Amino acid sequence: MFDDLRDLYQEVIFDHNRNPRNFHVMQDADRKVEGFNPLCGDRLTLFLKMDGDKITDASFQGSGCAISTASVSLMTEIIKGKTEAEAEDLFSKFHEMTTGKSKEINLEAIGKLAVLAGVREYPARVKCATLAWHTLDAAIKNEQDSISTE
Amino acid sequence: MTTFPIEKIRADFPILQEKIRNKPLVYLDNAASCQKPQQVIDSIVHCYSHEYANVHRGVHTLSVKATDRYEGAREKVKDFINAQSTKEIVFVRGATEAINLIAQTFGKSNIKAGDEILITAMEHHSNIVPWQMLCAETGAILKVAPINLQGELIYAEFEKLITDKTRLVSVVHMSNALGTVNPVEKIIAAAKAKNIPVLLDGAQAIPHMAVDVQALDCDFYVFSGHKLYAPSGIGVMYGKQALLEAMPPYQGGGDMIRKVTFEETEYNALPYKFEAGTPSIADVIGLGAAIDYLNDIGMDNIAAYEAELLNYATVKAKQIKGLRLIGEAQEKGAILSFVLDKIHPHDIGTMLDSLGIAIRAGHHCAMPVMDFFEVPATARASFAMYNTKEEVDVLINGIESLIEIFG
Ligand SMILES: Cc1ncc(COP(=O)(O)O)c(C=O)c1O
């Protein structure tokens, strides 16, 4: 019945929506940043554990649509072990993919995140996919906004 | 009641023939804006093709014709809401501009520090923010009457909030987020007992029921054309003549003046005092055509037809497991706001769209209502006179199928 939507709602997305990964409060987080999409009311809190400029752990809390939940869930998986610079690089590749700026999807660089490429065809939903990454970007850039638990 | 001419009505709305994602369009976002019948479209084309010029200015034939049409539409609006005089019908951009106009003119000249403005917890942002702005400027206080879990105004609480300091009661006639129709007769009677003027936000009510401003005895009634099968960019502020006479103008410019020198300006008579600048001429004429169209069908017939449609949809929706209706007022217009267990309204919106069904997913410019029901957003199917039970079935099937695939 929803054949047209197969590109947008891939099975991986349903899976992450049903069972989001790293979905918990991180008591000893080094950075904690809130992301908010006023258009749809989606809210998420991103927690990062850092070792120098390396992200050693990531988790989140919040509620959102399937696209945004899957996006943040996948993101917390993929950024673990990455440096800030590597994470930012991934963000820009992800951004290019979801906004359709680059038609080619560099599977090697983007890995599992490719399942979110379908939002390109749904301009109203791009923000759902990118909210997680904008929140991460804020966590990396705006250290003064982040809460240190130390 | 003779049978409702649903087939004829549907045939009058060309957009209903459109295919969306290869499926027949099922348009259920009427509370946001509704579609236009050919008669309205034709009236605009006719205006620009044959009768267009600026109004109130020229001695030439076309300007006289355009002015006649424009003022003829004002007459139609007057009759449609049963105002006493066309002086009480002011054309504005929409409900939002009307409320801002009232806040900036009536509000600024009558409301001072410590005074109270009373609204309800189910208002659209356009009946909240202009008053907050006025309160910030004047030091007045905004009071909010609460609602219950059915989405109804708690009238006893509302009544208690009418005090000696209340200078204006401004309430929504029918809520866009919940469908609730407020007990406006009671509200107005209670306010009148204390000589407090009442503004009704009729943006949602106007396409669904007959409105008689004299029978209601409200002081202001505002609505937008685009929710009444008329063009966007045009709306109406009705105000009782005595109140409008006493109010200062809103914007300055052409048309709203009688005489201008550099020393002083004499303002024009009603309603022109509030209509500075060249108005949206063709759209006003389109509004007149929409009113003609509705009068032919009859607002009471429309109300009866839509009540049946809403009832049908409500019964069906309640049978869906995991569906929670937001807004179950006794008195309700044709709006079905709902949430689904574990499925976000935006996913519902995208899924239904792929089936050709247009609904709204979001906060409906009523964030306080969302907070009250503790949901970030709702999905909302809002009906118009051209919707059918078959379309309700398509919606219900769509919801059931999407629940299935979300699993
Ligand atoms: C109850 C209510 N009031 C006011 C408005 C504002 O109308 P407009 O945006 O046409 O000015 C709306 C529109 O959604 C509404 O539903």
Side-chain angles (χ1 to χ4, degrees):
Chain A
M1 193 166 188
F2 295 100
D3 292 351
D4 298 355
L5 288 178
R6 233 178 260 146
D7 278 351
L8 181 61
Y9 289 98
Q10 303 202 18
E11 201 38 57
V12 180
I13 290 179
F14 281 129
D15 174 37
H16 277 260
N17 184 48
R18 271 183 222 120
N19 308 298
R21 319 297 196 270
N22 305 306
F23 186 65
H24 56 80
V25 176
M26 194 191 291
Q27 295 297 348
D28 59 345
D30 295 309
R31 301 208 190 139
K32 176 183 166 199
V33 173
E34 312 232 329
F36 180 50
N37 181 347
L39 193 71
C40 50
D42 286 0
R43 267 172 211 285
L44 70 88
T45 309
L46 180 67
F47 303 90
L48 298 180
K49 186 100 191 103
M50 307 295 296
D51 178 7
D53 74 341
K54 195 171 190 161
I55 301 164
T56 56
D57 199 6
S59 74
F60 79 102
Q61 285 278 278
S63 74
C65 64
I67 307 292
S68 86
T69 303
S71 177
V72 63
S73 173
L74 284 160
M75 182 186 82
T76 54
E77 281 192 318
I78 209 163
I79 60 174
K80 275 189 214 177
K82 296 239 177 336
T83 63
E84 290 181 344
E86 285 165 347
E88 288 282 30
D89 183 51
L90 207 50
F91 175 29
S92 69
K93 290 205 172 72
F94 182 75
H95 197 266
E96 278 172 19
M97 173 183 82
T98 50
T99 53
K101 283 211 185 76
S102 79
K103 290 276 168 273
E104 295 284 301
I105 297 167
N106 186 342
L107 267 179
E108 209 175 327
I110 211 120
K112 266 204 220 172
L113 298 177
V115 297
L116 287 157
V119 299
R120 288 183 298 195
E121 306 297 328
Y122 298 83
R125 303 303 299 275
V126 171
K127 284 207 167 114
C128 308
T130 52
L131 175 64
W133 291 89
H134 283 291
T135 311
L136 174 68
D137 186 46
I140 290 172
K141 286 204 180 111
N142 260 325
E143 286 186 57
Q144 66 271 26
D145 267 3
S146 57
I147 295 160
S148 166
T149 48
E150 278 163 28
Chain B
M1 191 185 119
T2 50
T3 48
F4 194 69
I6 184 69
E7 256 139 54
K8 186 197 165 294
I9 292 171
R10 287 188 68 79
D12 285 335
F13 287 76
I15 207 167
L16 298 181
Q17 309 309 318
E18 286 292 301
K19 291 262 193 301
I20 301 294
R21 298 188 180 267
N22 283 324
K23 317 266 182 347
L25 166 65
V26 175
Y27 188 76
L28 302 177
D29 194 18
N30 296 286
S33 200
C34 66
Q35 303 298 346
K36 321 303 172 197
Q38 192 63 52
Q39 288 82 341
V40 168
I41 299 167
D42 286 347
S43 75
I44 296 164
V45 172
H46 183 84
C47 167
Y48 285 127
S49 311
H50 302 288
E51 296 182 335
Y52 184 77
N54 209 330
V55 291
H56 304 141
R57 317 212 164 163
V59 293
H60 60 81
T61 307
L62 267 189
S63 175
V64 172
K65 255 192 191 161
T67 305
D68 275 356
R69 292 288 184 169
Y70 179 82
E71 291 303 325
R74 197 190 305 275
E75 194 77 41
K76 288 172 189 179
V77 173
K78 179 209 123 202
D79 291 340
F80 189 62
I81 61 170
N82 194 30
Q84 237 170 32
S85 151
T86 49
K87 291 184 179 146
E88 300 176 320
I89 306 298
V90 176
F91 288 124
V92 291
R93 254 188 329 125
T96 303
E97 189 178 52
I99 297 172
N100 278 281
L101 186 162
I102 296 164
Q104 291 303 313
T105 58
F106 172 85
K108 270 196 184 156
S109 42
N110 291 286
I111 297 171
K112 304 178 301 297
D115 287 349
E116 295 172 0
I117 300 159
L118 178 55
I119 63 171
T120 77
M122 68 176 92
E123 301 306 324
H124 186 278
H125 294 161
S126 63
N127 196 27
I128 302 174
V129 184
W131 307 119
Q132 287 174 328
M133 290 163 66
L134 182 67
C135 287
E137 281 173 60
T138 60
I141 300 153
L142 189 62
K143 294 279 180 178
V144 183
I147 56 177
N148 64 24
L149 285 170
Q150 279 71 53
E152 292 166 322
L153 177 68
I154 305 174
Y155 183 76
E157 296 295 321
F158 171 84
E159 217 172 11
K160 277 189 222 153
L161 286 168
I162 302 182
T163 71
D164 292 341
K165 290 188 175 148
T166 312
R167 293 290 169 270
L168 179 71
V169 169
S170 186
V171 299
V172 71
H173 192 171
M174 172 176 153
S175 153
N176 66 310
L178 302 165
T180 308
V181 176
N182 272 317
V184 290
E185 291 85 359
K186 260 185 1 188
I187 288 171
I188 292 165
K192 293 282 123 162
K194 295 203 167 176
N195 269 324
I196 302 162
V198 179
L199 187 172
L200 292 184
D201 170 0
Q204 291 298 334
I206 198 86
H208 299 298
M209 61 189 83
V211 170
D212 180 333
V213 292
Q214 289 190 70
L216 285 169
D217 197 25
C218 57
D219 297 275
F220 297 107
Y221 197 96
V222 307
F223 62 92
S224 302
H226 68 94
K227 297 184 204 272
L228 189 70
Y229 309 99
S232 56
I234 189 68
V236 171
M237 176 195 66
Y238 158 83
K240 278 188 184 162
Q241 190 171 340
L243 279 173
L244 296 184
E245 298 279 12
M247 278 153 56
Y250 180 45
Q251 293 175 329
D255 253 6
M256 56 78 70
I257 44 80
R258 182 168 286 143
K259 179 168 167 248
V260 177
T261 66
F262 284 112
E263 286 68 42
E264 80 179 337
T265 290
E266 198 181 310
Y267 300 128
N268 204 340
L270 289 177
Y272 312 109
K273 179 169 102 178
F274 294 105
E275 292 181 1
T278 300
S280 206
I281 300 164
D283 298 318
V284 166
I285 292 167
L287 174 60
I291 288 175
D292 285 343
Y293 186 81
L294 290 164
N295 284 336
D296 275 352
I297 301 167
M299 290 311 293
D300 289 337
N301 293 335
I302 292 170
Y305 176 80
E306 289 179 352
E308 200 180 313
L309 200 59
L310 177 67
N311 187 41
Y312 181 78
T314 306
V315 168
K316 290 241 162 177
K318 279 184 156 175
Q319 289 164 359
I320 298 176
K321 226 171 125 243
L323 184 147
R324 171 184 165 212
L325 287 178
I326 302 290
E328 293 193 79
Q330 276 294 324
E331 296 297 325
K332 212 182 145 180
I335 283 177
L336 209 61
S337 217
F338 63 94
V339 292
L340 297 179
D341 214 15
K342 298 206 184 78
I343 306 177
H344 193 280
H346 275 200
D347 294 318
I348 302 172
T350 300
M351 291 256 157
L352 292 179
D353 178 59
S354 79
L355 305 176
I357 308 167
I359 61 150
R360 172 98 184 259
H363 53 61
H364 318 296
C365 297
M367 284 185 177
V369 174
M370 301 299 114
D371 291 343
F372 177 76
F373 286 98
E374 295 179 334
V375 293
T378 76
R380 180 188 69 187
S382 53
F383 303 96
M385 61 174 168
Y386 43 64
N387 290 126
T388 64
K389 286 184 183 169
E390 289 71 33
E391 289 180 311
V392 172
D393 292 340
V394 174
L395 169 72
I396 298 291
N397 284 338
I399 297 171
E400 280 169 344
S401 320
L402 76 88
I403 290 175
E404 209 162 286
I405 78 158
F406 260 80

